[in-house]
Amino acid sequence: MHDETRLLHCDSDDEPFRALTTPVHRASTLVFPTVEEFLARHSRFYDGYSYGLYGHPASRSLAKQIATLEGGSRALIVPSGMAAISVVNLALLRPGDHVLIPDAVYAPARAAAEGFLSAMGVTSTFYNSLAGVGIAELFRSTTRLVWVESPASFTMEVQDVPAITAAAHDHGALVAADCTWASPLGFKALRHGADVAVQALSKHIAGHSDLILGSVTVDDETLFRRIKDASRYLGLGVSPDDCFLAQRGLGTLSTRLGRQTESAVKVAGILAEHPCVKQVLYPPLPGDPGHVLWCRDFTGASGVFSVVLEPSGDTALAPFLEQMRLFRLGASWGGLHSLVAPARLDGARSAVPWQGAGPVLRFSIGLEHPDDLIDDLLAGLERYRPPNRAASI
Ligand SMILES: *Cc1c(COP(=O)(O)O)cnc(C)c1O
């Protein structure tokens, strides 16, 4: 069966109310007919229902659909993408362990390693996101986990995930992958050797900028139980309403991503020609440093890309971005509305310092007509005046 079909068919059986959608049961307490079943309720923890915190029909149905799309056997829905990252770290790492994290990782994940895992006695090494097989020299006897994030947040480095997972497995380490950018439609991390696939469902899958959820998918029952246990110790529960909305988002995921990618290729292509733009970072564009790996490993993309602008004074960005008519200034991405987010990357990297001199902007292309977006951007760039622009035109 194709993913497009899988997106529309959830596993819902709520006899006799048979619907195409999964029912939303709001409940903390579940009730039991016998003392014996009540006392044995914990045996239902991994599969059945025992208490609202541990799962309900909407979370289980969404988890099943995500597991299938990721090519795994088991998924867990958690309150956010960041919770997905942290529950994996807390389930798989112990004091004294070492973890390898890509240098261009999602910034809050770096902060969690530096500010939280370190206090637990877990050591992190941030490795060059483009290391590929070269990562082998960074393993220690205590390395238990390697993260990949591909393409990377903001700067879109595409990682050689098969090479990195092979090196990790040679050294007895597990690999966790955050491949939210392409969604499972564009990249199934488990099929490329990862042991754990994380998604920020808040982005493309929810797709409407109106909820926060994350998922963790594996293809191994023991690993699933370790992660599910950690989520229980942390008390991570999810709202059935949010799960319902995320599942509704799945139904249009393929259509949205297709349209957003098509528009993004068009918008990014125009920006690449603009004298204020130094570089466009978007793996689907031929000429992008990650294009060859992207063609090899990915079956799709999304409408999220970044540009490095020609340097200018500190005050040049505000008139550009604050007066946009369609692009709104905001974090996150993957919704219906186009967004732009500026970043300061000086000092953000430790393995390979960021070299770009100008500001970096990340765009999330929404469902507006691409020509309107291009008009908005070209007008914005008129307000952005790098000092050397006159010479370069
Ligand atoms: C947004 C994001 C997350 C975190 O997701 P939240 O649901 O916002 O916590 C994790 N990884 C990547 C790559 C992201 O873009």
Side-chain angles (χ1 to χ4, degrees):
M1 198 192 288
H2 294 85
D3 281 346
E4 283 78 1
T5 311
R6 286 198 182 104
L7 291 171
L8 291 167
H9 290 268
C10 55
D11 178 35
S12 161
D13 57 349
D14 207 36
E15 291 287 1
F17 190 90
R18 299 183 70 188
L20 292 166
T21 52
T22 306
V24 172
H25 292 282
R26 298 192 58 89
S28 53
T29 302
L30 304 189
V31 294
F32 299 79
T34 66
V35 170
E36 192 183 336
E37 283 179 69
F38 178 73
L39 293 176
R41 68 191 181 283
H42 301 301
S43 66
R44 302 175 176 197
F45 176 62
Y46 300 105
D47 289 300
Y49 301 112
S50 57
Y51 183 55
L53 179 62
Y54 303 139
H56 39 70
S59 68
R60 291 287 158 80
S61 175
L62 176 61
K64 266 193 196 163
Q65 226 178 337
I66 299 284
T68 311
L69 287 167
E70 292 270 29
S73 55
R74 290 287 228 159
L76 178 69
I77 307 300
V78 293
S80 65
M82 193 56 211
I85 292 168
S86 285
V87 78
V88 169
N89 281 330
L90 294 174
L92 304 183
L93 297 169
R94 295 284 170 270
D97 287 349
H98 174 237
V99 56
L100 286 165
I101 300 175
D103 206 22
V105 74
Y106 177 63
R110 173 186 280 266
E114 289 171 339
F116 182 60
L117 294 180
S118 62
M120 284 171 42
V122 172
T123 313
S124 309
T125 299
F126 296 93
Y127 67 91
N128 179 354
S129 301
L130 300 176
V133 286
I135 198 173
E137 60 198 54
L138 299 176
F139 284 87
R140 305 177 187 172
S141 59
T142 52
T143 309
R144 298 278 170 267
L145 181 64
V146 179
W147 278 96
V148 292
E149 185 185 309
S150 185
S153 287
F154 258 103
T155 41
M156 307 287 153
E157 289 88 346
V158 180
Q159 296 198 262
D160 191 341
V161 176
I164 293 170
T165 56
H169 294 155
D170 278 350
H171 289 84
L174 293 170
V175 177
D178 177 349
C179 296
T180 298
W181 178 86
S183 90
L185 297 185
F187 188 80
K188 295 188 198 308
L190 301 180
R191 299 250 172 94
H192 291 86
D195 303 284
V196 179
V198 160
Q199 289 285 331
L201 302 180
S202 324
K203 308 286 171 57
H204 299 307
I205 288 177
H208 294 68
S209 313
D210 54 6
L211 66 90
I212 304 274
L213 279 179
S215 65
V216 182
T217 306
V218 296
D219 199 20
D220 176 281
E221 186 64 22
T222 310
L223 196 51
F224 172 74
R225 291 185 175 214
R226 276 171 79 184
I227 296 167
K228 174 88 179 160
D229 284 342
S231 85
R232 168 171 52 162
Y233 303 141
L234 293 165
L236 303 183
V238 292
S239 144
D241 301 279
D242 288 349
C243 293
F244 176 90
L245 286 172
Q247 199 163 36
R248 184 157 77 172
L250 279 177
T252 53
L253 177 66
S254 154
T255 314
R256 284 185 283 110
L257 283 182
R259 164 78 177 182
Q260 288 167 340
T261 302
E262 206 179 294
S263 295
V265 166
K266 204 167 169 188
V267 175
I270 299 274
L271 288 177
E273 302 292 315
H274 197 283
C276 290
V277 174
K278 198 173 171 107
Q279 196 184 3
V280 175
L281 306 169
Y282 189 38
L285 289 191
D288 182 273
H291 184 67
V292 172
L293 274 183
W294 180 79
C295 289
R296 187 191 73 184
D297 291 346
F298 285 66
T299 53
S302 69
V304 181
F305 67 87
S306 295
V307 303
V308 184
L309 295 177
E310 291 290 350
S312 182
D314 282 347
T315 53
L317 263 188
F320 174 10
L321 300 183
E322 290 171 6
Q323 293 166 40
M324 300 290 273
R325 290 179 52 234
L326 299 174
F327 281 90
R328 311 301 294 275
L329 194 54
S332 196
W333 40 262
L336 306 180
H337 305 82
S338 290
L339 289 176
V340 58
R344 290 211 170 89
L345 296 178
D346 324 332
R349 304 286 164 76
S350 50
V352 186
W354 175 249
Q355 297 296 345
V360 182
L361 303 181
R362 184 185 62 207
F363 293 98
S364 176
I365 300 301
L367 293 178
E368 301 92 343
H369 194 288
D371 292 346
D372 294 334
L373 297 176
I374 290 166
D375 287 349
D376 199 24
L377 280 169
L378 293 180
L381 284 165
E382 280 299 311
R383 300 188 292 270
Y384 180 81
R385 299 203 175 276
N388 59 351
R389 187 174 165 202
S392 65
I393 303 177

